[in-house]
Amino acid sequence: MQRVEREIARLIQEIDYDVVTHLFEKLQGGKRLRAKLILKIATSSEQAPLLGAIVELVHGASLLHDDVIDEATLRRGTPSVNATDGSKTAVMLGDILYSKAFSELVLFDREIAKVVSSSVTALSKGEMMDVKMSQNFNDDAQIYLDMLYLKTATLIEAAAQGAALLEGKDAQKHALYGKNLGLSFQIIDDILDITADEATLGKPAMNDFVEGKCTLPYIYLYHALNTPEQERLRRLHAKVLDKEETLWIKEKMQEHKSIEKSFALAQKLSNEAMQAVKEDAGLIEILETMIKRSY
């Protein structure tokens, strides 16, 4: 990981603009899940740290754009770039990170470059779907999972698949692993948005629903409610919730086990991922650690 960090620092330094260097420091502190995954899979490749750095730049760019779209003021518990320096600056910084990542990606084998670059198209499409879906109450779990795959899981899938290609391992099995890891990781995040407190999240609890996002627990809850209750949940969608409304949602989720149902799907996806790479203890450990983040 030290080599990944050095590669990231080198790429940022090559941009040769102090403003970018300063702003990029605000993005530090993430889990570096994608880079760690690449290093776990491509253990002997000299190119693995650079590929990890490229994928982390792509991820950072997507977060910058995501915060602008969501008008988020916090990122990992600290003020977001769009909050401190404005949305225009955040978008341009994201564009710089994307373009720098692509300029380095051309150094890799064509198939690896295509896997990673295609995932960036997919995650941008997923972001657009997310924006469209937040305009109305979505009660279709499959539509939500399709969006989740594009927006979140596809880059993790690409990291795992690209690393497998780099190392000469089974690319399809590792792609399945990455896809399911990404989906289950985000489902756990959706759960934590409801069950964790603001200090843990680095943002207000139940913020997803306030922003108009109907994540799995809300979808499962909706289908368990009677008609008047369904109408009430719809009315609360995309509005600031008071204490009584928050309590009602949480009590109904507890009554109908919406959180447990969501976690069961995350566990199922995680188990499928484990089966795909059952002989790789390091990758299984990543999954187990991710699942333990739950409520």
Side-chain angles (χ1 to χ4, degrees), residues 23 61 64-65 68 81-82 85-95:
L23 290 173
L64 284 160
H65 289 177
V68 171
V81 172
N82 53 295
D85 294 81
S87 293
K88 291 179 182 179
T89 297
V91 169
M92 289 184 289
L93 178 61
D95 291 345

Side-chain angles (χ1 to χ4, degrees), residues 31-227:
K31 302 177 187 70
R32 298 280 196 245
L33 170 65
R34 293 148 192 83
K36 288 176 182 174
L37 194 55
I38 288 168
L39 296 181
K40 287 276 188 182
I41 296 169
T43 53
S44 65
S45 173
E46 283 296 311
Q47 286 186 295
L50 177 57
L51 184 61
I54 289 168
V55 171
E56 288 299 336
L57 286 193
V58 168
H59 180 54
S62 71
L63 295 181
L64 284 160
H65 289 177
D66 197 34
D67 285 346
V68 171
I69 291 166
D70 292 342
E71 298 180 350
T73 57
L74 292 175
R75 167 61 61 183
R76 299 171 183 141
T78 60
S80 59
V81 172
N82 53 295
T84 59
D85 294 81
S87 293
K88 291 179 182 179
T89 297
V91 169
M92 289 184 289
L93 178 61
D95 291 345
I96 289 170
L97 298 186
Y98 271 136
S99 58
K100 184 59 179 174
F102 279 122
S103 70
E104 294 293 315
L105 193 56
V106 298
L107 300 174
F108 286 82
D109 177 81
R110 178 184 175 88
E111 192 173 358
I112 295 170
K114 185 176 180 180
V115 163
V116 176
S117 59
S118 296
S119 76
V120 178
T121 303
L123 73 86
S124 300
K125 176 182 170 183
E127 185 67 69
M128 185 176 286
M129 287 175 63
D130 191 26
V131 171
K132 292 291 184 184
M133 286 169 61
S134 68
Q135 295 170 359
N136 298 288
F137 188 96
N138 171 57
D139 61 6
D140 190 319
Q142 190 55 56
I143 289 175
Y144 176 73
L145 288 170
D146 289 345
M147 180 277 296
L148 213 61
Y149 164 64
L150 292 170
K151 183 183 174 184
T152 302
T154 184
L155 186 58
I156 299 176
E157 177 186 44
Q161 187 176 359
L165 289 167
L166 204 56
E167 190 72 8
K169 293 181 177 178
D170 190 317
Q172 292 311 308
K173 284 185 177 180
H174 284 82
L176 173 63
Y177 170 89
K179 175 183 177 180
N180 282 21
L181 171 63
L183 286 170
S184 52
F185 185 93
Q186 187 57 52
I187 292 169
I188 296 297
D189 264 9
D190 292 346
I191 291 171
L192 291 172
D193 180 77
I194 298 163
T195 61
D197 56 29
E198 184 170 347
T200 302
L201 293 170
K203 62 179 181 178
M206 298 182 75
N207 194 56
D208 287 345
F209 197 61
V210 171
E211 289 182 349
K213 298 174 183 177
C214 291
T215 58
L216 274 185
Y218 296 97
I219 294 171
Y220 288 153
L221 173 61
Y222 178 81
H223 289 290
L225 297 174
N226 59 40
T227 302

